[in-house]
Amino acid sequence: MPDKKKKFIAVIGGSDASPEEVKLAEEVGRELAKQGAIVVCGGLSGVMEAACRGASSAGGLTIGILPGDSAKAANPYVQIPIATGLGYARNVLVAKSAQAVIAIGGSYGTLSEIAYALQGNIPVIGLKTWALSRNGQPDDSIIRMESPIEAVKIALSLAVDH
Amino acid sequence: MPDKKKKFIAVIGGSDASPEEVKLAEEVGRELAKQGAIVVCGGLSGVMEAACRGASSAGGLTIGILPGDSAKAANPYVQIPIATGLGYARNVLVAKSAQAVIAIGGSYGTLSEIAYALQGNIPVIGLKTWALSRNGQPDDSIIRMESPIEAVKIALSLAVDH
Amino acid sequence: MPDKKKKFIAVIGGSDASPEEVKLAEEVGRELAKQGAIVVCGGLSGVMEAACRGASSAGGLTIGILPGDSAKAANPYVQIPIATGLGYARNVLVAKSAQAVIAIGGSYGTLSEIAYALQGNIPVIGLKTWALSRNGQPDDSIIRMESPIEAVKIALSLAVDH
Amino acid sequence: MPDKKKKFIAVIGGSDASPEEVKLAEEVGRELAKQGAIVVCGGLSGVMEAACRGASSAGGLTIGILPGDSAKAANPYVQIPIATGLGYARNVLVAKSAQAVIAIGGSYGTLSEIAYALQGNIPVIGLKTWALSRNGQPDDSIIRMESPIEAVKIALSLAVDH
């Protein structure tokens, strides 16, 4: 049974991920589990599956918030599938159910999750992902890291109840 | 860590519940946990809280799919809070994330969850809850039970992956 | 351009409707348009299409709140398609965007819309549709009518801004 | 009554907008209406209100897809309020209900709408708004313009049914 004090950290990124992104996601998931955190993700393949696989390998709990109506669409390492049937609107749930977000690579779906997290003042740590600027001024809200271990450390230190 | 074979059973009912409904919900939650099932609910008070309290007392896992943006709104027995921010639209997630639904009392929100479950061919077991008819013909889709133990037994026997 | 004082009335019912339901829906849509109301519906076939066809034949405005991502799925009489991509969760929008709801026949999806409307204190008028009871007591919240003209009259008289 | 051939163009941006953004949005709304397009927006203040005001001044139709449960929250120039009750998840509806999107300024909510549009292959034209890069490579998917008249021209030329 999970401890109420456990942190919920979202790992976001593409379902179609590069080998480097998969490796990063698996290390992030494993380290989150080692540190006692629960992994929240979109439940599908690529970065999501790698993060769940990493977390599972270290005995961690994994939650997959799925776009479709069927829990069967979850990757094999999702332990708690939430079948929303909401399509892309489920992205907001992935971001807002977490106390911090780690973004790894990703395309426009990932960008929507980053945007939702930042809008809710949820810290976003980025590994090889989007960078933002507005009217020619960089927006440094995404905390850029290179190492998955460091990304997890920062995410857990910044995670705040909301 | 939950076993992938575990059943997810939703317990639905009002946030403002009668003492009888609270007692039924707590017994349902406890029995679900004893039988190894995971309790899914709307995460708030009344029937939802009683079901989570019952499940927790027997060492079970509880998921609360919340209408608001904050996990803090969850009752104290929710272990996995999912803050959707979707308002009443979260009702469809409560129904569709389960393999069977047990309805206890409840008002129109509960009725919407019953409707969503039936529409998705998810079995609904009813304890002192809504009854339906259409064009003067009773609709017997809600399986009416009196005993919480029997309700859990039927729910688990009818639960189907989807 | 629609007048801000115009009423928004939802017409709800099945995509697979009987000839009698189609006839009722068309008459309801036509009468709503004659009375200057805007028809809101789920945008698909059956009762939804008939209501839009009736409204269009009398020069009325029609809004279809669609479950999918594509406006092309709207029936040919929808003038304002809203493609939600939300699946069944769009039902709550159909109910809550209206000032009154007229239900004609329908299955569990329609029942979820009735439930959402009643929960939001939005009047529901029923033509050959669901009836409800709770704990053996009839719930008379659905105002049962036989005539489409009368149903529209009552809907417009009860419609309240919210 | 709107012609089925009319284009639906979303105008997105902050509820708290600068005078320059308000002026741009009003000009965009007016020009869209002159060109026969329907304005879709989030229904609130700032850029959304200015776009609706501009469109109304030229006799155009305006749709406001609102985050809350009440149509009363719409700005005074919204003619078709859709009260979703979905909170921030309504952003996906604003983006996906349009055939092209014009972004003016904006914060993270606007960024989520840009992301949703790009993900659905809906053209995004930007006036003084976000710029994106990924892994150090600029992403030029947002078509950057300076003039509201030109932005409307490009939006209408790129708008595609979906």
Side-chain angles (χ1 to χ4, degrees):
Chain A
M1 192 189 326
D3 179 339
K4 291 279 289 183
K5 299 288 169 46
K6 288 205 171 184
K7 303 287 189 199
F8 290 75
I9 309 294
V11 184
I12 63 176
S15 55
D16 188 12
S18 72
E20 183 187 15
E21 290 164 352
V22 165
K23 187 159 175 286
L24 286 169
E26 189 159 357
E27 290 179 13
V28 162
R30 189 182 307 118
E31 183 67 14
L32 283 169
K34 281 189 191 169
Q35 300 300 329
I38 293 169
V39 170
V40 180
C41 73
L44 300 178
S45 59
V47 159
M48 299 169 263
E49 179 165 345
C52 291
R53 188 170 56 238
S56 291
S57 75
L61 187 65
T62 59
I63 300 171
I65 301 181
L66 295 154
D69 274 323
S70 170
K72 291 181 187 167
N75 73 60
Y77 307 99
V78 168
Q79 295 159 23
I80 308 279
I82 307 287
T84 69
L86 294 173
Y88 301 115
R90 75 81 151 81
N91 291 5
V92 65
L93 277 69
V94 175
K96 301 250 171 164
S97 283
Q99 292 159 326
V101 171
I102 301 176
I104 301 168
S107 185
Y108 299 118
T110 302
L111 179 61
S112 74
E113 293 168 324
I114 290 172
Y116 274 129
L118 293 177
Q119 190 228 28
N121 292 314
I122 299 168
V124 177
I125 293 89
L127 292 162
K128 306 205 173 290
T129 190
W130 292 98
L132 308 172
S133 65
R134 196 164 24 165
N135 286 335
Q137 299 294 321
D139 175 305
D140 292 328
S141 302
I142 303 173
I143 302 165
R144 313 195 76 75
M145 307 292 294
E146 295 295 325
S147 141
I149 305 294
E150 288 298 308
V152 168
K153 191 173 169 187
I154 295 288
L156 291 173
S157 71
L158 295 177
V160 190
D161 288 353
H162 65 90
Chain B
M1 192 190 325
D3 178 340
K4 291 277 293 183
K5 299 289 170 42
K6 288 203 170 185
K7 303 286 189 199
F8 290 75
I9 308 293
V11 184
I12 64 176
S15 55
D16 188 12
S18 72
E20 183 188 15
E21 290 165 352
V22 165
K23 187 160 175 285
L24 286 169
E26 189 159 358
E27 290 178 13
V28 162
R30 189 183 305 117
E31 183 67 14
L32 282 170
K34 280 188 191 169
Q35 300 301 327
I38 293 169
V39 170
V40 180
C41 73
L44 301 178
S45 59
V47 159
M48 298 169 265
E49 179 164 344
C52 291
R53 189 169 56 237
S56 291
S57 75
L61 186 65
T62 59
I63 300 171
I65 300 181
L66 295 155
D69 273 323
S70 170
K72 291 182 185 167
N75 73 60
Y77 308 99
V78 168
Q79 296 158 20
I80 308 278
I82 306 286
T84 69
L86 294 174
Y88 302 117
R90 75 79 151 84
N91 291 5
V92 65
L93 277 68
V94 175
K96 300 248 170 167
S97 283
Q99 290 159 327
V101 171
I102 300 176
I104 301 168
S107 187
Y108 299 118
T110 302
L111 180 60
S112 74
E113 293 169 325
I114 291 172
Y116 274 129
L118 293 176
Q119 189 228 28
N121 292 313
I122 298 168
V124 177
I125 293 89
L127 291 162
K128 306 205 175 290
T129 190
W130 291 98
L132 308 172
S133 66
R134 195 161 28 164
N135 286 334
Q137 300 293 320
D139 175 307
D140 293 328
S141 302
I142 302 173
I143 301 165
R144 313 196 76 75
M145 307 292 295
E146 294 295 325
S147 141
I149 306 293
E150 288 298 308
V152 167
K153 191 173 167 186
I154 295 287
L156 291 173
S157 71
L158 295 177
V160 189
D161 288 352
H162 64 90
Chain C
M1 193 190 325
D3 178 341
K4 291 279 292 184
K5 298 289 169 44
K6 289 204 170 184
K7 303 286 190 199
F8 290 75
I9 308 294
V11 183
I12 63 175
S15 55
D16 188 12
S18 72
E20 183 187 15
E21 291 164 352
V22 165
K23 189 160 172 285
L24 286 169
E26 190 159 356
E27 290 179 12
V28 162
R30 190 182 306 117
E31 183 66 13
L32 283 168
K34 281 188 190 169
Q35 299 300 328
I38 293 170
V39 169
V40 180
C41 73
L44 300 179
S45 59
V47 159
M48 298 169 264
E49 179 165 343
C52 291
R53 190 169 54 237
S56 291
S57 74
L61 187 65
T62 59
I63 300 171
I65 300 180
L66 295 154
D69 274 322
S70 170
K72 291 182 186 166
N75 73 59
Y77 308 100
V78 168
Q79 295 158 22
I80 308 280
I82 306 287
T84 69
L86 294 172
Y88 301 116
R90 75 79 150 84
N91 290 5
V92 66
L93 277 69
V94 175
K96 301 249 169 164
S97 284
Q99 292 159 325
V101 171
I102 301 176
I104 301 169
S107 187
Y108 299 119
T110 302
L111 179 61
S112 74
E113 293 169 324
I114 290 172
Y116 274 129
L118 293 176
Q119 190 229 28
N121 292 315
I122 298 169
V124 177
I125 293 90
L127 291 162
K128 306 204 173 291
T129 190
W130 291 97
L132 309 172
S133 65
R134 196 162 26 163
N135 287 335
Q137 301 294 319
D139 175 307
D140 293 328
S141 302
I142 303 173
I143 301 165
R144 313 196 76 74
M145 307 292 294
E146 294 295 325
S147 142
I149 306 293
E150 287 298 308
V152 167
K153 192 173 167 186
I154 295 288
L156 291 174
S157 71
L158 295 177
V160 190
D161 287 353
H162 64 90
Chain D
M1 192 192 322
D3 179 339
K4 292 278 291 184
K5 299 288 169 44
K6 288 205 172 184
K7 302 287 189 198
F8 290 76
I9 308 294
V11 184
I12 63 176
S15 55
D16 189 12
S18 72
E20 183 187 16
E21 290 164 352
V22 164
K23 187 159 174 286
L24 286 170
E26 190 159 357
E27 290 179 12
V28 162
R30 189 183 306 117
E31 182 68 13
L32 283 169
K34 281 189 190 170
Q35 300 300 328
I38 293 170
V39 170
V40 180
C41 73
L44 301 178
S45 59
V47 159
M48 299 170 263
E49 180 166 342
C52 291
R53 189 168 57 237
S56 291
S57 75
L61 187 65
T62 60
I63 300 171
I65 301 180
L66 295 154
D69 274 323
S70 169
K72 290 182 186 165
N75 73 60
Y77 308 100
V78 168
Q79 295 159 20
I80 308 279
I82 305 287
T84 69
L86 295 173
Y88 301 116
R90 74 78 151 86
N91 291 6
V92 65
L93 278 69
V94 175
K96 301 250 171 167
S97 282
Q99 291 159 326
V101 171
I102 301 176
I104 301 169
S107 186
Y108 299 119
T110 301
L111 180 61
S112 74
E113 293 169 324
I114 291 172
Y116 274 130
L118 293 177
Q119 190 227 28
N121 292 314
I122 297 169
V124 177
I125 293 89
L127 291 162
K128 305 205 174 290
T129 189
W130 292 97
L132 309 172
S133 65
R134 197 162 25 164
N135 286 336
Q137 299 294 320
D139 175 307
D140 293 327
S141 302
I142 303 173
I143 301 165
R144 313 196 76 76
M145 307 292 294
E146 294 295 326
S147 141
I149 306 292
E150 288 298 308
V152 167
K153 190 173 168 186
I154 295 288
L156 291 174
S157 71
L158 295 178
V160 189
D161 289 353
H162 63 91

